[in-house]
Amino acid sequence: MSRSTADSTPSVTLPGPKERRRLREALALSEEQVAEAMGVTKATVKAWETGRSAPRGRKREAYARLLGAGGPSGPSPSAAPTGQAEAASGPALTPSAPSSPVSSRPPADRAGDGVSLPAERLKPETPEKAEVVEPAASTAPTAPTAPAASASASASGEGPVESGGLTPEEAFDALYAHAAPGLVHQTYLLTGRRALSREAVERAFQQAWQRWPEVAVDADPVGWVRAAAYEYALSPWHRLRRAHKHPDAPPAGAGRGERELLSALLELPPAYRRTVLLYDGLGLDLPDTAAETEASTPAAANRLLHARTVLGKRDPDLAEPEELHRRLNALVTEAPTAALPAARAVRTGSDHRIRAWTRAVVGVTAVLVVMTGVTAVTAPTRYIPVNAPGETVNGVPVRGGPEKLRPEDVKLRDRLRSEPNPGPERLVPLAG
């Protein structure tokens, strides 16, 4: 999923986000090295390569020169004055030589969108222990209809969709009719849940309509919608929904091999499942697979090898990458049978969702404003101290003195006072 950068510094043209990542990896540069050379953080470089943001001003020019260094058509950093180059791009950055020759993947058509990958795209090196066997090129899917082809062609250009003679509604409807059925089938292979796959694709197209100016100029609008649908379908929150706790039963007409492959796919972790479906099922190359899953190329290669190992243990026939690629591609290219709502209904649902959220936000804001006003009106204008409640004082001695006499004690005291002592007379010493 990429993002157009036509809105910033039109004098310097940057390649697409996926192409930026590919050029950096072709130069054997890490994100840390690029961030150090540009004077930014690693997170900023990752945002540039995923399309969430784009550099501006001098950093944009320096970033363009850095990506074009050593390229066939990009300007050389030595072409600019020395002082200006050092001020714009920071310290000199020399890419390290790769430890193994750079290999290229045979061109393969993207399954589901009819966009061919150029043969000169290079795949960066992977770790020696993560050597990936390249599958054979998948069979090219049938070309889209004329409206869909026009929508894809106009969406990949620099101008708006209207330049191709289509209104935004017509271009969206053509993209929906062309890509939605296949995406529902792919999402079902990814999750094993039919209702969730339809819901995920519908939600992804609603997001695409909400951000249509961005999607219309994207180089791969189908990939944009596919990434959004996959993210929604693989959300862990769906496990809390009773309807999506357990996967659906395989189709009744599915063969034994197809059922075993579907169950084996569902046993993989979501990230590994998504990687093997994009690489072996749709025919994306490794850098594009890594970019769509927001992982590094070595990490994507390791996920792919782990997934192939698990699938090979489940079914020995799937141990061969060519056989896995053939069977997954056959599953992906099956004719979808899901019944989807009309494109107009999807656009209307997206507009209704936006209106509902807007009204909810306005309502909550209004309630907060009213509560704040009521509090401001009813609040006292001066501070009134509150009398402290009484407390028990400790450390004071207990009140002393004789105890109160009981009636028996009073009677005995009166008797002793009234009667003389009957005992012997006491001896009183006399003075001599």
Side-chain angles (χ1 to χ4, degrees):
M1 184 166 56
S2 60
R3 183 177 182 180
S4 175
T5 57
D7 56 344
S8 60
T9 317
S11 59
V12 179
T13 303
L14 286 176
K18 295 181 180 179
E19 190 65 23
R20 300 171 199 170
R21 179 194 182 103
R22 184 177 291 104
L23 290 174
R24 174 181 62 78
E25 293 181 343
L27 294 173
L29 299 176
S30 64
E31 294 178 350
E32 292 82 358
Q33 291 175 320
V34 176
E36 182 180 357
M38 298 298 300
V40 296
T41 61
K42 179 182 175 182
T44 303
V45 176
K46 184 180 290 293
W48 292 350
E49 293 184 355
T50 55
R52 289 192 293 267
S53 64
R56 297 177 181 273
R58 292 185 177 180
K59 289 190 181 296
R60 185 183 182 90
E61 299 175 1
Y63 190 51
R65 282 196 293 269
L66 180 63
L67 294 180
S73 59
S76 173
S78 61
T82 306
Q84 181 181 359
E86 293 179 354
S89 60
L93 181 62
T94 303
S96 58
S99 58
S100 62
V102 179
S103 60
S104 61
R105 185 182 184 185
D109 292 339
R110 295 175 184 266
D113 58 1
V115 180
S116 299
L117 296 176
E120 61 271 10
R121 286 189 175 182
L122 300 180
K123 182 186 68 174
E125 57 174 349
T126 58
E128 295 181 359
K129 65 178 182 178
E131 181 180 357
V132 179
V133 180
E134 303 291 345
S138 58
T139 305
T142 57
T145 58
S150 302
S152 301
S154 60
S156 61
E158 295 294 335
V161 179
E162 289 82 0
S163 61
L166 295 177
T167 63
E169 291 78 8
E170 293 174 347
F172 177 84
D173 294 352
L175 178 64
Y176 180 82
H178 167 60
L183 288 179
V184 171
H185 184 61
Q186 297 170 23
T187 311
Y188 167 70
L189 298 179
L190 194 66
T191 61
R193 297 161 175 83
R194 297 180 181 86
L196 180 59
S197 62
R198 291 192 294 267
E199 179 183 346
V201 173
E202 185 176 353
R203 184 65 62 86
F205 272 99
Q206 288 179 356
Q207 295 178 5
W209 178 244
Q210 295 169 10
R211 305 172 63 178
W212 183 247
E214 174 186 343
V215 179
V217 297
D218 195 277
D220 184 14
V222 178
W224 195 103
V225 181
R226 179 179 62 237
Y230 285 6
E231 287 291 339
Y232 181 84
L234 294 177
S235 174
W237 294 105
H238 295 307
R239 301 174 185 174
L240 303 178
R241 303 170 62 181
R242 180 176 300 179
H244 303 317
K245 275 189 175 182
H246 305 287
D248 301 336
R256 179 180 178 183
E258 182 177 348
R259 290 195 301 269
E260 291 181 353
L261 180 56
L262 286 174
S263 60
L265 280 176
L266 294 179
E267 290 180 358
L268 294 173
Y272 295 77
R273 195 187 318 157
R274 183 176 180 180
T275 301
V276 72
L277 179 63
L278 291 173
Y279 188 82
D280 285 325
L282 301 183
L284 271 68
D285 56 5
L286 199 59
D288 284 344
T289 302
E292 186 160 327
T293 56
E294 296 187 356
S296 63
T297 302
N302 290 330
R303 290 176 180 177
L304 184 62
L305 289 178
H306 176 77
R308 287 177 174 178
T309 302
V310 173
L311 294 177
K313 291 180 180 179
R314 180 68 181 268
D315 187 354
D317 295 338
L318 300 178
E320 295 295 332
E322 292 80 5
E323 178 66 16
L324 175 62
H325 174 68
R326 184 189 65 80
R327 291 176 60 175
L328 267 181
N329 185 259
L331 279 180
V332 170
T333 55
E334 282 183 356
T337 57
L340 297 174
R344 181 183 180 88
V346 174
R347 288 190 282 107
T348 305
S350 177
D351 295 339
H352 289 171
R353 181 180 294 272
I354 289 294
R355 292 193 195 98
W357 278 106
T358 304
R359 291 171 182 171
V361 171
V362 171
V364 172
T365 305
V367 171
L368 292 177
V369 169
V370 171
M371 294 178 62
T372 304
V374 172
T375 304
V377 171
T378 58
T381 57
R382 62 187 181 86
Y383 175 71
I384 303 176
V386 180
N387 296 329
E391 297 181 358
T392 304
V393 179
N394 299 323
V396 178
V398 181
R399 180 181 300 177
E403 298 181 1
K404 186 178 180 180
L405 297 179
R406 297 174 297 176
E408 296 83 0
D409 298 334
V410 174
K411 186 177 180 181
L412 178 60
R413 184 192 63 182
D414 296 341
R415 180 182 175 185
L416 292 176
R417 287 180 178 178
S418 61
E419 296 180 2
N421 189 5
E425 298 181 1
R426 297 180 181 180
L427 299 176
V428 179
L430 301 176

